[in-house]
Amino acid sequence: MISSTNKFEQLSDEKQSRIVNASISEFSEKDYESASMNSVVSQAKISKGSLFNYFKTKNILYNHIYKLALGEVKDYLRKVRDETANLPFNERLSEIVDSGVKFITEHPRLARIYFRLVYSGDSPNRKKIVKELQSMSEDYLGNIMQDAMDRNELDPKLDKTQSVFFLDAVLNRFLKEYHETLSKGKQLDRDNWVNSITELFSKGFK
Amino acid sequence: MISSTNKFEQLSDEKQSRIVNASISEFSEKDYESASMNSVVSQAKISKGSLFNYFKTKNILYNHIYKLALGEVKDYLRKVRDETANLPFNERLSEIVDSGVKFITEHPRLARIYFRLVYSGDSPNRKKIVKELQSMSEDYLGNIMQDAMDRNELDPKLDKTQSVFFLDAVLNRFLKEYHETLSKGKQLDRDNWVNSITELFSKGFK
DNA sequence: TCCTAAATTGACCACCCGGTCAATATTGAT
DNA sequence: ATCAATATTGACCGGGTGGTCAATTTAGGA
């Protein structure tokens, strides 16, 4: 039962990270279709034959990179969820947004791959992956909403699926915007935005 | 001062629509980079030389199609804005969502081009176009919010830019979801969702 | 030091791309 | 019917793609 990345995993750490690094750059800068194995190869300073020896196809390389990115996102989310378990909903929400902002700042290229995946049209298993992400988000935000509902902080008659959908929509869109302004060198007033987001969900526009 | 699409506009309506139709299909199914002029040509049943005679480059053809799609979206929005000018905010919001749903149902391929443009990474003048769309949306939703604030239906202390951003985020994401379930053959409970959206903005999760 | 097995290389393949342009077909005025 | 102007065609170009594989380099045990 040997994984298909076996050959890759047996390389030196240094070479592995050169390849991963080059792949992240390529997939974060271009759509899946436009990303070029030749470009990865030349950035990583290995030969084409080697790359295809480590990863049989572009698809397999992409999956490796995407799982890596997603793994990092999950770690972040898990951490903030656990660390804020006892905070009230509003503060918890605020911490989640904050940790998203932090992730984007620390891993802009991974964030780019994530947004490209979620919002863009191509990439081979996009539908499956997006479904997976969606259920992950539903699970994650759903738990946090449930906690708040159990504590009577939120209306218990809320439709959880829909509420989670709205939360997810606003959070994702904000983080996407933050990511884009960041890569333009601008800066949003983070605290102000975080505040507005929690206000929106706590009392609407009234 | 002759437009660059001059040659195209002088074609018979039948041929024009064959070409437009083929182009819409191609650009709605594939990213800009992946969309193929060869494919457009064979769908439209004209020769490659002709297509490049009517539109000098792929870029120019894309712009023609995108402007066409955007024009249709604008018509819809303008219409619903004018027809609902006297309704209270909640009902107006509901009508806007409805008209979005209607547009998607009647023009699924144009909707696809729109979403691809807004959410996807490539296409040549994406940044300029998205900026244009953003200011259009800000203008559009901003006006509608302003009307509501003038009538004291909404908190006048709201930050309009941020509120419009949230509105836009939720509406777009919902319509995107609707579009995707539609193309999967499923159906969302439209009335229920419209209702939840207006509730979210009128009183949050409380 | 030698030899073999494994790792690495890059020239090469078939295919597709956007775009060109000489050759051909069509049109319409005389 | 003729012929010049115009519209249309598709073979062709240079270049890039994902992927292959014979040839070469490297590594390490005897």
Side-chain angles (χ1 to χ4, degrees), chain A residues 155-182:
Chain A
D155 181 355
K157 289 195 303 296
L158 280 176
D159 180 318
K160 216 169 71 179
T161 308
Q162 288 176 339
S163 307
V164 164
F165 180 88
F166 298 142
L167 250 179
D168 189 70
V170 171
L171 295 185
N172 258 287
R173 176 71 185 278
F174 169 72
L175 289 175
K176 187 169 178 258
E177 188 72 16
Y178 190 90
H179 175 253
E180 281 174 11
T181 59
L182 195 83

Coordinates of all heavy atoms in Angstrom, one line a residue, chain A residues 155-182:
Chain A
D155 N -31.2 33.6 18.0 CA -32.6 33.1 17.9 C -32.6 31.6 17.6 O -32.1 31.2 16.6 CB -33.2 33.9 16.7 CG -34.7 33.5 16.5 OD1 -35.1 32.5 17.2 OD2 -35.3 34.1 15.7
P156 N -33.2 30.8 18.5 CA -33.2 29.4 18.3 C -34.0 28.9 17.1 O -34.0 27.8 16.7 CB -33.7 28.8 19.6 CG -34.5 29.9 20.2 CD -33.9 31.2 19.7
K157 N -34.9 29.8 16.6 CA -35.7 29.4 15.5 C -35.0 29.6 14.1 O -35.6 29.3 13.1 CB -37.0 30.3 15.5 CG -38.0 29.9 16.6 CD -39.4 30.4 16.4 CE -39.4 32.0 16.3 NZ -38.9 32.7 17.5
L158 N -33.8 30.1 14.2 CA -33.0 30.3 12.9 C -32.9 29.0 12.2 O -32.6 28.0 12.8 CB -31.6 30.9 13.2 CG -31.5 32.4 13.5 CD1 -30.1 32.7 13.9 CD2 -31.9 33.2 12.3
D159 N -32.9 29.1 10.8 CA -32.6 28.0 10.0 C -31.1 27.9 9.9 O -30.4 28.8 9.4 CB -33.2 28.2 8.6 CG -32.8 27.0 7.7 OD1 -31.7 26.5 7.7 OD2 -33.7 26.6 6.9
K160 N -30.5 26.8 10.5 CA -29.1 26.8 10.6 C -28.4 26.8 9.3 O -27.4 27.5 9.1 CB -28.6 25.6 11.5 CG -27.4 26.0 12.4 CD -27.2 24.9 13.4 CE -26.6 23.6 12.8 NZ -26.3 22.6 13.9
T161 N -28.9 26.0 8.4 CA -28.2 25.9 7.0 C -28.1 27.2 6.4 O -27.1 27.6 5.9 CB -29.1 24.9 6.1 OG1 -29.3 23.7 6.8 CG2 -28.3 24.7 4.8
Q162 N -29.3 27.9 6.4 CA -29.3 29.3 5.8 C -28.3 30.2 6.5 O -27.6 31.0 5.9 CB -30.7 29.8 5.7 CG -31.5 29.1 4.7 CD -33.0 29.6 4.7 OE1 -33.4 30.2 5.7 NE2 -33.7 29.3 3.6
S163 N -28.4 30.2 7.8 CA -27.6 31.2 8.6 C -26.1 30.9 8.3 O -25.3 31.9 8.1 CB -27.9 31.0 10.1 OG -29.3 31.1 10.3
V164 N -25.7 29.6 8.3 CA -24.4 29.3 8.1 C -24.0 29.8 6.7 O -22.9 30.3 6.4 CB -24.1 27.8 8.2 CG1 -22.9 27.3 7.5 CG2 -24.2 27.4 9.7
F165 N -24.9 29.6 5.7 CA -24.6 30.1 4.3 C -24.3 31.6 4.3 O -23.3 32.0 3.7 CB -25.8 29.8 3.5 CG -25.7 30.2 2.0 CD1 -25.1 29.3 1.1 CD2 -26.1 31.4 1.6 CE1 -25.0 29.7 -0.2 CE2 -26.0 31.8 0.3 CZ -25.4 30.9 -0.6
F166 N -25.1 32.3 5.0 CA -24.9 33.8 5.0 C -23.6 34.1 5.7 O -22.8 35.0 5.2 CB -26.0 34.5 5.7 CG -27.4 34.3 5.1 CD1 -28.5 34.1 5.8 CD2 -27.5 34.3 3.7 CE1 -29.8 34.0 5.2 CE2 -28.7 34.1 3.1 CZ -29.8 33.9 3.8
L167 N -23.3 33.5 6.8 CA -22.1 33.7 7.6 C -20.9 33.4 6.6 O -20.0 34.3 6.5 CB -22.0 32.8 8.7 CG -22.1 33.3 10.1 CD1 -22.0 32.2 11.2 CD2 -21.0 34.3 10.4
D168 N -21.0 32.3 6.0 CA -19.9 31.9 5.1 C -19.7 32.8 4.0 O -18.6 33.2 3.6 CB -20.2 30.5 4.6 CG -19.1 29.9 3.8 OD1 -18.1 29.5 4.4 OD2 -19.2 29.8 2.5
A169 N -20.8 33.3 3.4 CA -20.8 34.2 2.3 C -20.1 35.5 2.7 O -19.1 36.0 2.0 CB -22.2 34.6 1.8
V170 N -20.5 36.1 3.8 CA -19.9 37.4 4.2 C -18.4 37.2 4.6 O -17.6 38.0 4.2 CB -20.7 38.0 5.4 CG1 -20.0 39.2 5.9 CG2 -22.1 38.4 4.9
L171 N -18.1 36.2 5.4 CA -16.8 36.0 5.8 C -15.8 35.7 4.7 O -14.8 36.4 4.5 CB -16.7 34.8 6.8 CG -17.4 34.9 8.1 CD1 -17.1 33.7 9.0 CD2 -17.0 36.2 8.8
N172 N -16.2 34.8 3.8 CA -15.4 34.6 2.6 C -15.2 35.8 1.8 O -14.1 36.1 1.3 CB -16.0 33.4 1.8 CG -15.3 32.1 2.0 OD1 -14.2 31.9 1.6 ND2 -16.0 31.2 2.7
R173 N -16.2 36.5 1.5 CA -16.1 37.6 0.7 C -15.2 38.7 1.3 O -14.4 39.3 0.6 CB -17.5 38.2 0.4 CG -17.5 39.5 -0.4 CD -17.1 39.2 -1.9 NE -17.0 40.5 -2.6 CZ -18.1 41.1 -3.1 NH1 -19.3 40.6 -3.1 NH2 -17.9 42.3 -3.6
F174 N -15.4 38.9 2.6 CA -14.5 39.9 3.2 C -13.1 39.5 3.2 O -12.2 40.3 2.8 CB -14.9 40.0 4.7 CG -13.9 40.8 5.5 CD1 -13.8 42.2 5.3 CD2 -13.1 40.2 6.4 CE1 -12.8 42.9 6.0 CE2 -12.1 40.9 7.1 CZ -12.0 42.3 6.9
L175 N -12.8 38.2 3.4 CA -11.4 37.7 3.4 C -10.8 37.8 2.0 O -9.7 38.2 1.8 CB -11.3 36.3 3.9 CG -11.6 36.2 5.4 CD1 -11.6 34.7 5.9 CD2 -10.5 37.0 6.2
K176 N -11.7 37.6 1.0 CA -11.2 37.7 -0.4 C -10.8 39.2 -0.7 O -9.8 39.4 -1.2 CB -12.3 37.2 -1.3 CG -11.9 37.2 -2.8 CD -13.0 36.4 -3.6 CE -12.6 36.4 -5.1 NZ -13.4 37.4 -5.9
E177 N -11.7 40.0 -0.2 CA -11.4 41.5 -0.4 C -10.2 41.9 0.3 O -9.3 42.6 -0.2 CB -12.6 42.3 0.1 CG -12.6 43.8 -0.2 CD -12.8 44.0 -1.7 OE1 -13.3 43.1 -2.4 OE2 -12.5 45.2 -2.1
Y178 N -10.0 41.4 1.5 CA -8.8 41.7 2.3 C -7.6 41.2 1.6 O -6.6 41.9 1.5 CB -8.9 41.0 3.7 CG -7.9 41.5 4.7 CD1 -8.1 42.6 5.5 CD2 -6.6 40.9 4.7 CE1 -7.1 43.1 6.3 CE2 -5.6 41.3 5.6 CZ -5.9 42.4 6.4 OH -4.9 42.9 7.2
H179 N -7.7 40.0 1.1 CA -6.6 39.4 0.4 C -6.2 40.2 -0.9 O -5.0 40.4 -1.2 CB -6.9 38.0 -0.1 CG -5.9 37.3 -0.9 ND1 -6.1 37.1 -2.2 CD2 -4.7 36.8 -0.6 CE1 -5.0 36.5 -2.7 NE2 -4.1 36.3 -1.8
E180 N -7.2 40.7 -1.6 CA -6.9 41.5 -2.8 C -6.4 42.8 -2.5 O -5.4 43.3 -3.2 CB -8.2 41.6 -3.7 CG -8.4 40.3 -4.5 CD -9.7 40.3 -5.2 OE1 -10.4 41.3 -5.3 OE2 -10.1 39.2 -5.7
T181 N -6.9 43.5 -1.5 CA -6.3 44.8 -1.1 C -4.9 44.6 -0.6 O -4.0 45.5 -0.8 CB -7.2 45.6 0.0 OG1 -7.2 44.8 1.1 CG2 -8.5 45.8 -0.5
L182 N -4.7 43.5 0.1 CA -3.3 43.2 0.6 C -2.3 43.1 -0.5 O -1.3 43.7 -0.5 CB -3.3 41.9 1.4 CG -2.1 41.7 2.3 CD1 -2.3 42.4 3.6 CD2 -1.9 40.2 2.5

